[in-house]
Each structure stands twice: as structure tokens, then as C-alpha cells.
């Protein structure tokens, strides 16, 4: 027994010594932590409610790429938002990685698996009613092109001097339209719904305050709040009010006062697209205008020697619709020409202010 024990001990020592002669093994990397398992829908099927599908369409998210965390493998609103945030973060991280221009990728197409019925509720239902009423108005349309070189420089100079401030072209146009209404108050008016025996309107009301409505593309639909008393405010004051209205519209904080008593509407769709448009009048107002896409064109400019020089300039298309029961075509043409003059010669606009 003792010999056997001794042999056993020696064997262990020899093995230990043998291990010392061997090169030490490199430390093994830690195994990545496993993500908590998520319940998945059957292959090829995406489970999500209509509300979640609408959100995904608005955010251009392919639901097939989103990992579901909801009950029964359903994709939740939080899953879509988390996926969208991750995509944005990845895009920002790779923005400066290469000097090569990025190739735009086509937005993923979400194909409906079956027909769906979408109820018009809330803001969209109100829009359906107001637009149906609006098409009872016989309109005529005008289009004009306006050079924005001078207001562009003024805007850029202001932002350069005030880096924390933001400004768009909308406040300049609001002020230009308001000042043109001083000359043509018929455009700052509302129609009186009272009719004669034959059903025709008999009067309209020219409004003292220029409460100009702006169209906001909010998550809940089209909203049309208005900037109060534009004729009494500076371009900078108008800019601040526009930004405040847009923020309240996006967060669902617009009040009844914000949405009431509008006298004219100015829509800004150029940032999305569209060279010209035919905006629909927001009843009981009698006119509406739309700021369309900005583009660069060649313009002939007179040289000191009397010759012509071709130079690139930026122009914006502006479309206007008027209630033809109240405003005739010649008056509309004169009005938009005054607006054009104020935009292209901003000094004239500023000098005309009280």
C-alpha cells in the first residue's frame, strides 16, 4: 500500500513538471453575452397592428428587419422606434468614414399583405370636411416665379451673426404678403355665408388683423394654425412665432386660439417638392398661396456697357388660388406682382414698413 501511494505521488509530480515544460495556453476570450431570446413570428410573416404598420411606413422602416418583442411575436411601436434610432445612429457614425459621396438607397417598400380599411378620425376627418366645403368655391389659379437672392443673403447674414438662431424663408413671405394686403385688403378677407334667395353670397368681410395661417404637416395630419397680427410684427418676431406654432403642432399642443380666426393661408411645400401647385382655399378665406420648390436658373442681367450677362440665380415658384366670386383675375395678378417686388427687392419692403 505504501509503495502504491508513493508511486501515485511521483506520478502526479512528474505530470506537473511536464505541464511546466509546455507553453502556457493563451487566455480564452469571453463568450459574448447572449441576448435575451425574443419570441418570433412564423417565418415569412410580420405581425403588427395597423397603427404600428402606419408608423413604420412614415419612418420608412422595413418591418421584416425589425426584431419583435411583443406578445406572440408581434412588433410593437417601441420596436420600430428602436430600430429607426439604430439606423440613424449607424448612418451618422459612417457619415465621415469615407470621402466618397454616399449612394442614395431606395426606401424599403412595405407591401400590404391584405386590404385594410382606414377610418378618417380626428384631424384627418376635419380636413376631409373642410376640403370638401372648399371645393364648392369656384377658384382661379396664378403662378409666379420670384428671385430669392436678396432675402437669401439677408437670411444667411442673420444666421451667421446669430449661430444659435434658425430662420427659413417663410417669415419673409408672410411679411411680404401682409404688406401687399395693405394695398389690396380684399385678399385679407372672409366670405359671409349668408346668401340671397337664389343661394349666392352677397358680401364679404375685409379683416383688420392679418392672421395668416400656415399649413403644418404634423404626425396627426394637416394643421392650419395662424400667426396673429402679422402686419404689426417684424420679420424676426414672425420667425419666432412660426417656430413656436410648428413645435406646438408637432407635439399636439396647439390651442383653439392658434387654429381660429385665420384670414389668409400661406403653405410652404417647397422643402418636400413640387415646382408649382394649385392650393385649395381654406373656407371662409378667399385666397391661399403656396411656396414651391427653389431651383437655380440662368438670368440675363444688364452690364454697365448695356450688354447682357447670363448669371445663375435661385428662384422660387409661388402658386396662388383665389375665390373667383370675390376676386377677379386682374386684381390677383396685380397683388402677386406686388408680393414679387417685395421679395426681390427686400429693401422696398423694409422701407414701406411703419
Amino acid at each position: 500500500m505504501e509503495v502504491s501511494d508513493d508511486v501515485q505521488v511521483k506520478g502526479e509530480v512528474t505530470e506537473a513538471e511536464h505541464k511546466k515544460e509546455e507553453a502556457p495556453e493563451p487566455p480564452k476570450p469571453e463568450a459574448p453575452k447572449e441576448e435575451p431570446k425574443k419570441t418570433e413570428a412564423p417565418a415569412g410573416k410580420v405581425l403588427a397592428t395597423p397603427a404600428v404598420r402606419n408608423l413604420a411606413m412614415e419612418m420608412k422602416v422595413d418591418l421584416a428587419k425589425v426584431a419583435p418583442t411583443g406578445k406572440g411575436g408581434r412588433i410593437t411601436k417601441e420596436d420600430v422606434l428602436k430600430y429607426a434610432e439604430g439606423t440613424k445612429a449607424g448612418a451618422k457614425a459612417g457619415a465621415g468614414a469615407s470621402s466618397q459621396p454616399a449612394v442614395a438607397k431606395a426606401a424599403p417598400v412595405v407591401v400590404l399583405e391584405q386590404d385594410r380599411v382606414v377610418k378618417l378620425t380626428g384631424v384627418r376627418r376635419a380636413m376631409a370636411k373642410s376640403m370638401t366645403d372648399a371645393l364648392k368655391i369656384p377658384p382661379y389659379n396664378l403662378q409666379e416665379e420670384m428671385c430669392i437672392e436678396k432675402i437669401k443673403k439677408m437670411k444667411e447674414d442673420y444666421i451667421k451673426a446669430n449661430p444659435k438662431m434658425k430662420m427659413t424663408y417663410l417669415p419673409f413671405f408672410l411679411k411680404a404678403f401682409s404688406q401687399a394686403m395693405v394695398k389690396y385688403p380684399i385678399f385679407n378677407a372672409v366670405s359671409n355665408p349668408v346668401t340671397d334667395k337664389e343661394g349666392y353670397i352677397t358680401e364679404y368681410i375685409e379683416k383688420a388683423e392679418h392672421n395668416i395661417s400656415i399649413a403644418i404637416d404634423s404626425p396627426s395630419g394637416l394643421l392650419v394654425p395662424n400667426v396673429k397680427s402679422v402686419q404689426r410684427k417684424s420679420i424676426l418676431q414672425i420667425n419666432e412665432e412660426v417656430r413656436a406654432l410648428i413645435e406646438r403642432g408637432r407635439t399636439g399642443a396647439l390651442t383653439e386660439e392658434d387654429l381660429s380666426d385665420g384670414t389668409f393661408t400661406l403653405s410652404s411645400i417647397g422643402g418636400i417638392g413640387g415646382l408649382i401647385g394649385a392650393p385649395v382655399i381654406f373656407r371662409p378665406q378667399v385666397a391661399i398661396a403656396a411656396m414651391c420648390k427653389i431651383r437655380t436658373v440662368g438670368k440675363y442681367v444688364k452690364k454697365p456697357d448695356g450688354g447682357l450677362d447670363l448669371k445663375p440665380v435661385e428662384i422660387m415658384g409661388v402658386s396662388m388660388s383665389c375665390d373667383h366670386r370675390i376676386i377677379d383675375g386682374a386684381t390677383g395678378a396685380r397683388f402677386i406682382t406686388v408680393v414679387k417686388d417685395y421679395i426681390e427687392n427686400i429693401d422696398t419692403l423694409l422701407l414701406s414698413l411703419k
Side-chain angles (χ1 to χ4, degrees):
M1 284 295 292
E2 289 179 4
V3 173
S4 177
D5 288 344
D6 184 56
V7 172
Q8 181 70 23
V9 170
K10 284 182 180 179
E12 289 175 3
V13 172
T14 303
E15 185 178 348
E17 289 175 352
H18 177 67
K19 284 181 179 178
K20 285 181 181 178
E21 292 176 2
E22 292 181 354
E25 293 184 7
K28 293 181 180 180
E30 291 184 10
K33 294 181 180 179
E34 292 187 3
E35 292 287 334
K37 292 183 179 180
K38 296 173 183 177
T39 310
E40 294 184 359
K45 251 193 173 183
V46 174
L47 299 180
T49 64
V52 171
R53 291 180 184 276
N54 286 337
L55 176 64
M57 290 178 68
E58 289 176 3
M59 302 189 76
K60 297 181 179 178
V61 169
D62 184 358
L63 286 175
K65 297 179 180 179
V66 180
T69 62
K71 187 176 180 181
R74 288 185 178 276
I75 296 174
T76 66
K77 176 183 175 183
E78 288 71 23
D79 295 335
V80 174
L81 294 173
K82 184 177 179 181
Y83 179 86
E85 283 300 318
T87 305
K88 282 183 184 177
K92 287 180 180 177
S98 172
S99 58
Q100 297 297 323
V103 179
K105 293 183 179 180
V109 178
V110 180
V111 181
L112 290 178
E113 297 174 1
Q114 57 186 9
D115 295 349
R116 69 172 180 227
V117 177
V118 180
K119 296 290 185 183
L120 292 175
T121 59
V123 174
R124 286 185 169 86
R125 182 169 175 79
M127 181 177 70
K129 289 181 178 180
S130 63
M131 291 299 99
T132 301
D133 288 343
L135 287 178
K136 296 175 183 177
I137 299 171
Y140 71 89
N141 308 110
L142 289 168
Q143 280 81 37
E144 183 59 272
E145 292 181 338
M146 304 184 187
C147 177
I148 61 166
E149 291 288 322
K150 290 186 178 180
I151 63 171
K152 178 185 176 183
K153 184 178 185 309
M154 182 175 287
K155 180 175 76 76
E156 290 176 347
D157 288 346
Y158 176 74
I159 294 173
K160 187 177 180 180
N162 303 272
K164 294 183 179 180
M165 299 298 292
K166 293 183 179 180
M167 177 177 278
T168 65
Y169 294 111
L170 182 56
F172 292 94
F173 277 84
L174 284 167
K175 194 63 183 178
F177 271 95
S178 174
Q179 197 62 22
M181 289 170 188
V182 174
K183 294 183 177 181
Y184 295 94
I186 192 173
F187 287 87
N188 191 59
V190 295
S191 59
N192 191 331
V194 177
T195 59
D196 60 16
K197 293 179 180 180
E198 295 178 290
Y200 299 116
I201 61 170
T202 58
E203 62 183 23
Y204 62 91
I205 305 163
E206 293 181 350
K207 306 294 284 186
E209 298 299 314
H210 297 181
N211 299 336
I212 302 182
S213 303
I214 57 173
I216 297 177
D217 182 21
S218 78
S220 59
L222 180 68
L223 298 172
V224 194
N226 59 79
V227 181
K228 307 291 186 189
S229 304
V230 174
Q231 82 280 11
R232 304 178 191 275
K233 292 174 177 153
S234 69
I235 292 173
L236 292 180
Q237 288 174 320
I238 295 168
N239 182 59
E240 288 304 305
E241 290 210 24
V242 166
R243 293 187 61 76
L245 285 173
I246 291 174
E247 182 59 27
R248 292 204 291 276
R250 287 174 178 166
T251 58
L254 287 171
T255 65
E256 186 177 346
E257 184 181 2
D258 290 331
L259 297 164
S260 60
D261 300 325
T263 58
F264 181 88
T265 297
L266 182 58
S267 175
S268 179
I269 60 173
I272 302 173
L275 295 176
I276 59 172
V280 179
I281 299 167
F282 192 54
R283 192 176 178 185
Q285 298 171 16
V286 299
I288 182 174
M291 298 162 57
C292 301
K293 187 176 180 180
I294 296 172
R295 66 188 194 279
T296 303
V297 300
K299 181 180 179 182
Y300 284 103
V301 179
K302 283 187 179 181
K303 297 190 292 186
D305 61 3
L308 294 175
D309 190 17
L310 185 64
K311 60 175 288 190
V313 296
E314 286 191 283
I315 64 169
M316 178 188 289
V318 177
S319 300
M320 189 170 72
S321 298
C322 304
D323 186 338
H324 215 336
R325 300 172 302 174
I326 296 169
I327 305 171
D328 61 75
T331 303
R334 293 188 186 99
F335 175 76
I336 204 167
T337 299
V338 172
V339 175
K340 175 184 172 77
D341 184 57
Y342 284 146
I343 292 297
E344 295 187 346
N345 303 285
I346 190 67
D347 294 342
T348 304
L349 172 61
L350 298 177
L351 289 172
S352 66
L353 302 179
K354 294 182 180 179

